[in-house]
Amino acid sequence: MADDIVLSTKGLTKHYGGVHALEDADFEIREGEHVAIVGDNGAGKSTFVRQITGVEQPTAGQIIFSGDTVQFASPLEARKAGIETVFQNLALADDLDVPANIFLGREEVYFNLGPFSFLNEKKMQAMAEEGLKRTAIKIPNLRNTIGNMSGGQRQCVAISRTATFASKLIIMDEPTAALGVQETTQVENIIRTLKEQSIPLILVSHNLRQVLNLVDRIVVFRRGRIVGTLDAKTTNGNEIVALITGLDTGVHDNASYI
């Protein structure tokens, strides 16, 4: 049903001068659904994410979020609308502790007096603990600065920040790209927890095993275009690779296996 669509794009296009990084992308995600975006380097995956999260402005096309046509001027606008994103660079401040990073840019205060405001650290601590609990993340010392944490812990803080505030949609851009096996497993368990809570999620990943195990649908990008949509339960790695590479194996552009 159309009324359960959280986010959709129609003809979304992005040109950088003569470079066509994204062309005519039609995409949708529904309530409670987890959708993976896959493709080779330069296929348009991150470009697509930057358009829907307000990092960049599209050249053409529409973005419909919660039933309204939107054009976010910045990630802050997208965040206020209910879209939380874990970018590849994590956007964490190394010198701050966990609660301060979770509330970075949206601090809780007793009185809003601009630069003279007093932070409500007790409230931020409690909300940070709730966000970590929501995603089953365990960090022994929340007062530890981010710079003293492992890559996996840093990634978990970034994810817990999205879960603390996301009211409508979470986007993760390569959340396990720089992690080891144990840390990757922890992040994947968090994604499963979000699925159990019916929080819609877009997962950008190169890891085909990961997407086959974690999502409902797989959307394949190649050379800036969406070339196929696959049902994760019925497809396999060979079909995904055929779409990613464009090999002539009976799988053609715009094929759909839903």
Side-chain angles (χ1 to χ4, degrees), residues 68-99:
D68 297 321
T69 300
V70 298
Q71 186 170 344
F72 299 123
S74 68
L76 180 59
E77 281 194 10
R79 199 167 68 181
K80 287 180 177 177
I83 299 176
E84 290 288 336
T85 306
V86 180
F87 293 102
Q88 290 187 47
N89 64 6
L90 301 185
L92 297 173
D94 286 348
D95 295 331
L96 299 180
D97 62 16
V98 174

Side-chain angles (χ1 to χ4, degrees), residues 154-165:
R154 292 165 62 90
Q155 187 68 266
C156 287
V157 171
I159 292 172
S160 69
R161 179 172 59 191
T162 69
T164 299
F165 296 100

Side-chain angles (χ1 to χ4, degrees), residues 41-59:
N41 291 332
K45 307 183 304 296
S46 292
T47 300
F48 178 78
V49 170
R50 289 196 295 270
Q51 309 315 302
I52 63 177
T53 55
V55 175
E56 298 174 348
Q57 301 305 306
T59 303

Side-chain angles (χ1 to χ4, degrees), residues 27-39:
F27 173 92
E28 66 180 32
I29 181 170
R30 298 174 180 273
E31 292 283 357
E33 189 178 32
H34 282 198
V35 176
I37 293 176
V38 302

